Amino acid sequence: MTKRQRLILGSACCLAAIPRAANAHNPFEFQTPVTPIARETLYVHDLFLTIIAVLFSVGSGFLLFSIIRYRRSRGHQPATFSAPRTPLQWGLSALPILTLIVIDYVVMGIPAYHAVLTLADTRNDAALVIKVTGSQWRWRYDYPDAGISFISNLATSAEQRDSGAPTDPNYLLEVDKPLVLPVGKKVRVLLTSTDVIHAWWIPSFGIKQDAVPGFLRETWVKIDRPGIYRGQCAELCGVGHGFMPIVVEAKAQPDFDKWLADAQTAAAQAAAVTTLSKAELLKRGQQDYANYCAMCHQPTGLGMPGAIPPIAGNKPFSAPPAMTDLLAQRGFYNSGKIVVGPVARHIDIVLKGIPGTPMPGFGTQLSDADVAALVTYERNSFGNQTGDVVQPSAVKAARAK
């Protein structure tokens, strides 16, 4: 075999290996697609990567061959023409343009157009509708037809994040309540946000859709097989942006039906709760505080000077006059005492937040029992000793006002 034949054979082997390398699974490759949208997206990507690799190799090969074969040391002289003159020259000049047109509008254009149409078809044959709401910094999932709603929070504790303890493969990617979806059924997903722009992004689904306040956007998924699929918020949405993981648990239809029935039963039982003991309220409130309040007010309850007031009573707090005025209007800023004012005001703040400050309202995210537990915990922790016990019935009455 001549040197030229070996060079051609080696180049052909490299080109043949490109598609196989693109499809091999490794940590730096795309996640395995499990929805039609993800498969089409990956197909377009691989096709484009293969085409540009072939064009680069062929173009570079011709250039290298010309440099070596027609170099000056072999007596060749440069051409003197400045424009095509013969039919062959015109043809060779037009060939790259025609090739790119065919690639753009036929080879790439048709599958890309089909992928866009597929992504936009959210309503036909949808067997289930879910609503996804982004809030700093958690996701709320609603199943409107089943009457189920829950909040999905980051499961990694603040202590683990701050201590530098060894991490597991799913560090910052675990949640307390995953979104559960059926396998093999088209699910229409409606997205919105209560505060800033978030993005619901799951690589295995091929979906990255923004959740925008005041707008209802939509997409869809049809998962091929059961499993756990993970994603994250993909918009820079605040200091807790890195703490908004997305976990979807895909179940076979019988398992999904059972989960749905159990969730409906649990929701009905939770709604029926009107009275809890102080111990139950404190235990539940501690968990709610860790999930919803500790990121801003800190696990110690001391807050952040100048930005987030302390939960702990008798702690000094300096902030711009506008913020302290708003707190004073709510009746909760008095020498740094935030949670030792009237109970009704405290419940009102948790439900509705404080306009003009970073304090959001949790009325749409927390149940009556959760708000009652949270207020009870804050008024009896961090050195606060009010002795107040707030029951879900009091929160329900506050919502009705």
Side-chain angles (χ1 to χ4, degrees), residues 128-151:
L128 177 66
V129 178
I130 64 166
K131 180 182 176 185
V132 179
T133 305
S135 298
Q136 288 178 324
W137 290 275
R138 55 191 56 86
W139 297 98
R140 173 190 171 104
Y141 298 116
D142 294 271
Y143 297 69
D145 294 335
I148 298 173
S149 300
F150 59 86
I151 303 293

Side-chain angles (χ1 to χ4, degrees), residues 134-212:
S135 298
Q136 288 178 324
W137 290 275
R138 55 191 56 86
W139 297 98
R140 173 190 171 104
Y141 298 116
D142 294 271
Y143 297 69
D145 294 335
I148 298 173
S149 300
F150 59 86
I151 303 293
S152 182
N153 287 292
L154 173 72
T156 306
S157 67
E159 290 76 13
Q160 184 183 2
R161 298 198 303 268
D162 298 338
S163 65
T167 58
D168 57 63
N170 295 319
Y171 177 67
L172 295 182
L173 292 175
E174 289 286 6
V175 298
D176 55 355
K177 294 180 180 178
L179 173 66
V180 180
L181 297 178
V183 168
K185 295 293 180 64
K186 185 173 182 177
V187 179
R188 184 183 177 203
V189 182
L190 307 177
L191 296 114
T192 189
S193 170
T194 61
D195 36 49
V196 299
I197 298 177
H198 303 278
W200 203 66
W201 175 49
I202 303 178
S204 294
F205 294 175
I207 289 176
K208 177 180 175 293
Q209 186 72 276
D210 281 350
V212 184

Side-chain angles (χ1 to χ4, degrees), residues 287-308:
Q287 183 62 47
D288 288 336
Y289 182 86
N291 289 336
Y292 296 94
C293 309
M295 191 172 293
C296 291
H297 292 286
Q298 304 300 300
T300 58
L302 297 179
M304 302 178 187
I308 308 297

Side-chain angles (χ1 to χ4, degrees), residues 1 9 37 122 127 136 170 221 234 241 243 345 385 392:
M1 183 180 293
L9 180 61
I37 294 175
T122 61
Q136 288 178 324
N170 295 319
V221 298
H241 162 68
F243 306 138
R345 294 287 189 181
Q385 298 177 350

Side-chain angles (χ1 to χ4, degrees), residues 11-209:
S11 301
C13 292
C14 291
L15 292 175
I18 289 174
R20 180 174 298 177
N23 291 328
H25 180 71
N26 62 68
F28 303 102
E29 183 54 85
F30 294 101
Q31 294 183 12
T32 303
V34 295
T35 66
I37 294 175
R39 282 195 299 275
E40 291 212 26
T41 304
L42 188 59
Y43 170 76
V44 172
H45 167 272
D46 289 349
L47 179 62
F48 182 74
L49 184 64
T50 302
I51 290 173
I52 62 174
V54 171
L55 291 179
F56 175 79
S57 301
V58 172
S60 300
F62 271 116
L63 180 62
L64 186 63
F65 172 77
S66 300
I67 292 174
I68 297 174
R69 178 66 178 82
Y70 299 102
R71 64 185 184 274
R72 184 178 181 180
S73 62
R74 299 186 64 177
H76 292 282
Q77 297 297 321
T80 57
F81 66 91
S82 58
R85 296 173 183 171
T86 65
L88 178 60
Q89 291 173 350
W90 277 109
L92 292 176
S93 299
L95 182 61
I97 300 175
L98 296 175
T99 302
L100 291 179
I101 290 176
V102 172
I103 292 173
D104 283 348
Y105 291 95
V106 179
V107 180
M108 293 296 303
I110 292 176
Y113 179 70
H114 185 264
V116 171
L117 288 182
T118 302
L119 179 61
D121 182 17
T122 61
R123 303 186 182 186
N124 291 326
D125 304 324
L128 177 66
V129 178
I130 64 166
K131 180 182 176 185
V132 179
T133 305
S135 298
Q136 288 178 324
W137 290 275
R138 55 191 56 86
W139 297 98
R140 173 190 171 104
Y141 298 116
D142 294 271
Y143 297 69
D145 294 335
I148 298 173
S149 300
F150 59 86
I151 303 293
S152 182
N153 287 292
L154 173 72
T156 306
S157 67
E159 290 76 13
Q160 184 183 2
R161 298 198 303 268
D162 298 338
S163 65
T167 58
D168 57 63
N170 295 319
Y171 177 67
L172 295 182
L173 292 175
E174 289 286 6
V175 298
D176 55 355
K177 294 180 180 178
L179 173 66
V180 180
L181 297 178
V183 168
K185 295 293 180 64
K186 185 173 182 177
V187 179
R188 184 183 177 203
V189 182
L190 307 177
L191 296 114
T192 189
S193 170
T194 61
D195 36 49
V196 299
I197 298 177
H198 303 278
W200 203 66
W201 175 49
I202 303 178
S204 294
F205 294 175
I207 289 176
K208 177 180 175 293
Q209 186 72 276

